[in-house]
Amino acid sequence: YDARLIEIKVKASKKEDVLKILADDLKALDYVEDNFYEHVIEREKNFPTGLPTAIPIALCHTEAQYVKHAAVCLATLEKPVKFQEMGTPQNTIMAEMVFLIAMKNPKDQVPWLRKMMEFCKDLHGLETIRDSVDKVKLADFLRQHLA
C-alpha cells in the first residue's frame, strides 16, 4: 500500500468523480494503461461493486490487461457516494470508502477480495480507515491488515 495512492476525505458528488481521481493517481505513477478509467467505469456499469458492509464500501476494478503493475488505491469520502450493490444492482448503497484495485495477475484478485471481505466484518478496522487523516499511517494500517 502506497500513501501516494490514498486520498483522504475526497469531495465528490458521484462515483465517476471518485474513480477518476483514483485512476488518475494510478496513471500518474504508471501503474495502469491510459484507458484504465474508461474500462473501470464500463465494468462498474455491468458488474456493480457496492457492498452494504457496516460502513458501506465499493471495491472497483477492471481487467488485468489495463494494468501495468499491481496496486490498490483508496479514497475515503467527505460525503457518501451512490454505488449499485454488488450482486443486487437494483439496490444502491452510499459508499463511504472506495477501493480501486489494479490487479496484474487475475489469480491474485480472488484471494485479495476474500481477505477484504473478511476484513469488512471488522467494524473497528473500517472505522479506522474511514476516520483516518494521515495517508502514511493509513498505508501502514492497510499493509498490516490487508497485505
Side-chain angles (χ1 to χ4, degrees):
Y1 291 88
D2 185 333
R4 297 173 299 171
L5 296 175
I6 295 174
E7 298 290 344
I8 304 273
K9 304 291 181 218
V10 170
K11 294 177 182 161
S13 58
K14 57 187 192 227
K15 65 185 172 195
E16 292 83 1
D17 297 341
V18 179
L19 293 171
K20 179 80 168 107
I21 290 166
L22 294 177
D24 285 351
D25 286 352
L26 285 166
K27 196 162 74 171
L29 296 172
D30 203 36
Y31 280 101
V32 297
E33 300 292 342
D34 289 344
N35 57 357
F36 179 78
Y37 168 75
E38 290 77 13
H39 289 280
V40 168
I41 295 300
E42 193 57 36
R43 191 171 198 297
E44 191 66 31
K45 286 178 190 166
N46 298 316
F47 302 100
T49 60
L51 291 173
T53 46
I55 296 173
I57 65 171
L59 297 177
C60 309
H61 59 282
T62 193
E63 289 72 25
Q65 70 203 55
Y66 307 109
V67 177
K68 295 179 183 180
H69 310 284
V72 177
C73 256
L74 165 65
T76 62
L77 305 175
E78 190 175 86
K79 292 187 175 133
V81 172
K82 188 187 303 186
F83 276 81
Q84 289 174 280
E85 187 177 326
M86 185 186 294
T88 318
Q90 63 272 26
N91 295 345
T92 58
I93 64 122
M94 296 303 290
E96 296 183 38
M97 298 176 269
V98 177
F99 287 85
L100 181 54
I101 306 144
M103 291 287 170
K104 185 66 185 154
N105 185 342
K107 287 185 275 188
D108 295 337
Q109 194 163 303
V110 171
W112 188 89
L113 286 171
R114 255 194 217 113
K115 190 178 282 192
M116 188 66 198
M117 299 304 275
E118 191 59 35
F119 177 81
C120 285
K121 296 175 186 172
D122 175 12
L123 178 59
H124 177 71
L126 290 173
E127 288 173 337
T128 299
I129 294 171
R130 181 195 63 197
D131 300 338
S132 185
V133 294
D134 183 309
K135 291 181 182 190
V136 173
K137 286 181 182 169
L138 182 50
D140 289 343
F141 177 83
L142 293 171
R143 274 192 293 278
Q144 289 171 13
H145 293 87
L146 290 171

